[in-house]
Amino acid sequence: DEPDDQFMLRDSFLKGISLLVKFNLVYEILIFIRHLPYAAKLVEKFPEQKFVLDHIAKPLIRDKLLSPWREGIQQLAFHPNVYCKLSGMVTEASWTGWRKEDFTPYLDVIFESFGPSRLMIGSDWPVCTVASGYHETMQIVIDYIGGSSQNDQELILGRNAKIIYNL
């Protein structure tokens, strides 16, 4: 909600981010599509800092648009210190008329860009309840990864979160 789309590149913001690695803290990036190029510049400045992209950067699922979101995701995912939380999707779809298939193209991009070792499931509860129940929301990702290896499923459903957040 910052009026300046490049807020994360301000000196004061960068100074704050620079302190996190010393305390082994993760910074969660909650942004919209228009912020993706700036987020890529941010994470490039701090290669030792762990970042987690929240809500897959809020793509326009309701409008069924992949570009320029896809290209921004690919650019951000190029940086190995960035992870992605598979959450916040149902609120970006039609709240009353979404289907699981609506999320497949977006999940395809995320999985191709980050790979299972940098992904984790998330619910966005209680916000998700405007468009879906908790279990229904989680089931989108669970069903999507159903054909993945047992190891990949374990990574996405919990092990990555333990590693990333030092739990």
Side-chain angles (χ1 to χ4, degrees):
D1 293 332
E2 292 284 337
D4 176 10
D5 286 349
Q6 298 185 49
F7 72 94
M8 65 186 88
L9 299 178
R10 292 181 192 155
D11 287 340
S12 58
F13 192 91
L14 297 174
K15 183 179 179 185
I17 295 294
S18 73
L19 301 173
L20 299 178
V21 74
K22 180 169 118 177
F23 299 101
N24 202 20
L25 295 172
V26 176
Y27 186 79
E28 297 210 10
I29 304 171
L30 178 56
I31 56 174
F32 293 99
I33 297 167
R34 68 183 184 272
H35 300 117
L36 282 165
Y38 308 116
K41 289 178 183 178
L42 169 69
V43 302
E44 185 175 24
K45 292 178 182 292
F46 301 99
E48 303 304 316
Q49 174 62 47
K50 288 191 265 184
F51 293 91
V52 172
L53 177 64
D54 282 343
H55 308 327
I56 68 172
K58 302 178 113 3
L60 301 174
I61 298 169
R62 182 178 309 113
D63 299 325
K64 299 184 181 349
L65 295 175
L66 284 172
S67 276
W69 171 82
R70 173 184 46 224
E71 294 79 11
I73 289 295
Q74 291 166 340
Q75 183 183 21
L76 189 59
F78 174 78
H79 303 281
N81 57 323
V82 182
Y83 304 84
C84 184
K85 197 178 293 180
L86 301 165
S87 63
M89 295 181 290
V90 295
T91 55
E92 300 307 314
S94 170
W95 290 1
T96 58
W98 65 263
R99 298 182 343 250
K100 283 184 187 177
E101 300 80 40
D102 296 339
F103 307 105
T104 301
Y106 302 93
L107 289 168
D108 287 347
V109 168
I110 292 295
F111 274 76
E112 289 167 13
S113 299
F114 286 95
S117 65
R118 293 195 291 148
L119 296 172
M120 68 183 105
I121 195 169
S123 67
D124 193 26
W125 184 88
V127 177
C128 70
T129 61
V130 300
S132 179
Y134 172 83
H135 294 290
E136 197 175 23
T137 298
M138 298 294 276
Q139 200 63 46
I140 294 165
V141 172
I142 292 167
D143 288 349
Y144 182 87
I145 65 172
S148 300
S149 72
Q150 182 72 26
N151 183 62
D152 288 354
Q153 290 180 40
E154 289 174 6
L155 286 171
I156 295 163
L157 297 178
R159 194 171 347 134
N160 283 340
K162 288 179 182 178
I163 294 166
I164 294 163
Y165 293 109
N166 304 305
L167 302 175

